Amino acid sequence: MAKIGVEQSLTNISQVLREKGYDVVDLKQESDAQNCDCCVVSGLDSNVMGMQDTTTKASVIDANGLSADEVCQQVESRLQ
């Protein structure tokens, strides 16, 4: 099953993704995003300094304003 990196503050999304059988990894630091097929972030601290360095080639989903189910739908559509 796909490996999904999820920001630590998004526990409800982590739980739903685990229930659907995904391998969920907590994103605590940059290196945690390596080898993930998709990453889910809260968007609260996105691009604060205007820098756009990336550490992963995986799709990144901004969960801000989305329900856990909506995030799961986006994960599934990006993994197809």
Side-chain angles (χ1 to χ4, degrees):
M1 191 45 102
K3 186 174 180 182
I4 312 297
V6 180
E7 204 170 284
Q8 279 186 297
S9 61
L10 302 172
T11 53
N12 60 331
I13 292 171
S14 294
Q15 183 178 356
V16 171
L17 288 169
R18 281 190 179 101
E19 288 171 3
K20 291 185 177 268
Y22 290 104
D23 179 14
V24 178
V25 176
D26 286 335
L27 296 178
K28 300 174 192 163
Q29 55 194 14
E30 280 183 27
S31 60
D32 295 333
Q34 293 177 352
N35 302 320
C36 286
D37 298 300
C38 188
C39 295
V40 181
V41 297
S42 65
L44 295 178
D45 59 355
S46 73
N47 206 9
V48 173
M49 296 181 65
M51 300 167 72
Q52 297 192 4
D53 297 338
T54 58
T55 59
T56 181
K57 301 276 187 221
S59 293
V60 177
I61 297 171
D62 182 353
N64 189 24
L66 301 176
S67 71
D69 288 332
E70 289 171 324
V71 171
C72 286
Q73 288 172 358
Q74 284 201 23
V75 167
E76 290 166 359
S77 69
R78 293 187 190 195
L79 292 176
Q80 291 178 352

